[in-house]
């Protein structure tokens, strides 16, 4: 069985790896809608934005694992004989607990992408019978300790980046954005952070894992008032015996990021309104005929 060549690193962008359709064929949106029909029922947000984010970022994490040498390309991206077809495990299941795979064929058109997304299939589909072995799911659990917040470790915050960086400002809740006095902003943020630490001491499960560039971070909710859904989410990285916070996410961004690893189950994530999950950042990619584009949801940390 031939595999994807690893003489050079894989692209980590699904839309550079494969032509994912356009309005003249099966579009990316239609592929995702077909997947949403196939997968277990779940809140995928308006226009399935959470599911779009999930698929593109699952591919990214699989490719990162291959590029880092943690697994072989054959483990996550097997091909059929003569390398004409390829697939990867989405990590999703049907209502009958059948794994779902993204299925590709060699791109017959002259294009940047070597592959063409043909759809999402279960193991018993005729298209997958040509694979000697089907790919494994993405393994995020390399160190179980990364998934559990150690409340005994100190925290170090990059407040200049969290509160002052242009990329982060739009993510901050209104109560912080509308306050022009920096000292008041610091008092509000530090007070809310201390309250969060107390909640985490009582229930460390409030911290939810996400994968960021191949590393596990913990997403910590921060409230500036009495409500179920948080106003802000802090991304913590465990480094040299402490937790480092360098950036923040909106609750919707945190939900999409956490969904890569598991279906969100903690109350603060379930309280996020489905309509808020539709906020996307557009990523335009060139398709096989050079004229189409696709939209993927990108979560930044």
């Amino acid at each position: 069985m031939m595999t994807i060549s690893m003489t050079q690193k894989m692209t980590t962008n699904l839309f550079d790896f494969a032509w994912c359709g356009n309005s003249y064929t099966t579009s990316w949106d239609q592929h995702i809608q077909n997947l949403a029909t196939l997968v277990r029922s779940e809140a995928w947000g308006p226009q399935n934005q959470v599911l779009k984010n999930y698929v593109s970022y699952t591919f990214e994490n699989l490719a990162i694992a291959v590029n880092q040498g943690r697994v072989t390309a054959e483990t996550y991206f097997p091909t059929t004989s003569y390398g004409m077809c390829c697939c990867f495990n989405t990590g999703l299941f049907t209502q009958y607990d059948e794994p779902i795979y993204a299925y590709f064929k060699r791109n017959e058109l002259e294009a940047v992408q070597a592959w063409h997304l043909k759809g999402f299939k279960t193991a018993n589909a005729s298209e997958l019978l040509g694979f000697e072995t089907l790919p494994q799911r993405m393994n995020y659990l390399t160190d179980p300790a990364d998934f559990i917040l150690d409340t005994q470790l100190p925290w170090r915050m990059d407040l200049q980046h969290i509160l002052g960086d242009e990329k982060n400002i739009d993510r901050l809740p209104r109560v912080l954005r509308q306050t022009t006095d920096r000292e008041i902003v610091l008092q509000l943020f530090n007070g809310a952070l201390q309250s969060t630490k107390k909640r985490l001491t009582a229930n460390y499960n409030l911290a939810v894992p996400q994968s960021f560039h191949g590393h596990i971070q913990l997403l910590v909710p921060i409230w500036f008032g009495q409500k179920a859904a948080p106003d802000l989410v802090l991304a913590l990285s465990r480094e040299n015996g402490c937790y480092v916070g360098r950036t923040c996410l909106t609750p919707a961004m945190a939900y999409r990021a956490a969904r890569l690893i598991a279906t969100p189950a903690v109350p603060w994530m379930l309280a996020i309104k489905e309509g808020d999950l539709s906020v996307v950042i557009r990523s335009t990619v060139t398709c096989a005929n050079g004229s189409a584009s696709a939209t993927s949801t990108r979560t930044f940390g």
Side-chain angles (χ1 to χ4, degrees):
M1 179 175 64
M2 296 180 63
T3 62
I4 292 176
S5 172
M6 286 306 296
T7 56
Q8 57 184 6
K9 290 187 178 298
M10 288 184 62
T11 177
T12 58
N13 189 316
L14 173 62
F15 299 101
D16 291 334
F17 177 80
W19 177 38
C20 294
N22 59 21
S23 58
Y24 300 102
T25 60
T26 303
S27 68
W28 169 241
D29 284 347
Q30 187 58 56
H31 278 307
I32 292 298
Q33 181 55 47
N34 293 342
L35 176 58
T37 303
L38 184 63
V39 74
R40 287 174 184 163
S41 179
E42 189 172 329
W44 295 116
Q47 291 79 52
N48 295 314
Q49 293 297 346
V50 176
L51 187 55
K52 292 176 182 178
N53 183 84
Y54 176 91
V55 173
S56 60
Y57 264 91
T58 294
F59 173 86
E60 177 177 306
N61 284 309
L62 291 168
I64 288 174
V66 172
N67 290 339
Q68 292 178 344
R70 288 186 276 143
V71 296
T72 64
E74 182 179 340
T75 301
Y76 283 159
F77 299 97
T79 59
T80 56
S81 58
Y82 304 106
M84 296 306 296
C85 301
C86 174
C87 66
F88 73 81
N89 192 322
T90 66
L92 299 171
F93 295 86
T94 70
Q95 60 179 326
Y96 299 105
D97 295 330
E98 301 169 298
I100 300 173
Y101 303 88
Y103 171 67
F104 305 85
K105 294 188 72 173
R106 280 289 180 186
N107 198 340
E108 297 177 354
L109 303 177
E110 293 184 4
V112 175
Q113 302 97 326
W115 300 95
H116 179 181
L117 176 65
K118 304 300 290 185
F120 296 93
K121 311 291 181 180
T122 55
N124 62 350
S126 59
E127 294 91 340
L128 299 189
L129 296 180
F131 292 88
E132 294 180 11
T133 303
L134 290 173
Q136 297 178 15
R137 299 181 72 217
M138 175 65 198
N139 178 24
Y140 293 101
L141 194 62
T142 54
D143 185 353
D146 291 338
F147 283 66
I148 301 175
L149 181 77
D150 187 342
T151 58
Q152 301 302 310
L153 295 184
W155 293 21
R156 298 186 183 183
M157 298 293 105
D158 185 350
L159 294 179
Q160 181 176 353
H161 182 74
I162 294 171
L163 300 175
D165 186 85
E166 291 184 1
K167 185 177 71 173
N168 279 331
I169 288 177
D170 288 341
R171 303 175 184 176
L172 299 176
R174 183 177 301 176
V175 65
L176 296 184
R177 294 200 311 270
Q178 292 183 340
T179 304
T180 57
D181 190 315
R182 183 178 300 174
E183 289 301 318
I184 293 178
V185 171
L186 287 172
Q187 290 176 17
L188 289 171
F189 181 83
N190 286 327
L193 190 62
Q194 291 304 315
S195 178
T196 289
K197 287 183 177 180
K198 291 179 181 178
R199 293 193 189 199
L200 289 167
T201 300
N203 182 8
Y204 62 84
N205 287 322
L206 288 175
V208 178
Q210 75 149 341
S211 177
F212 180 67
H213 292 329
H215 300 282
I216 296 298
Q217 294 180 327
L218 292 175
L219 301 175
V220 173
I222 299 177
W223 287 268
F224 291 89
Q226 297 295 324
K227 49 185 150 180
D231 298 284
L232 191 66
V233 178
L234 186 67
L236 294 178
S237 300
R238 185 168 178 168
E239 302 175 20
N240 299 321
C242 66
Y243 287 111
V244 180
R246 296 190 178 91
T247 193
C248 59
L249 307 175
T250 66
M253 293 169 69
Y255 185 101
R256 296 194 297 263
R259 180 58 190 88
L260 282 175
I261 294 179
T263 303
V266 294
W268 69 264
M269 279 203 164
L270 297 178
I272 298 171
K273 296 180 180 178
E274 186 172 354
D276 294 335
L277 301 177
S278 64
V279 180
V280 300
I281 298 173
R282 290 189 173 271
S283 175
T284 303
V285 294
T286 303
C287 292
N289 64 2
S291 62
S293 64
T295 300
S296 62
T297 307
R298 310 296 288 174
T299 301
F300 298 94

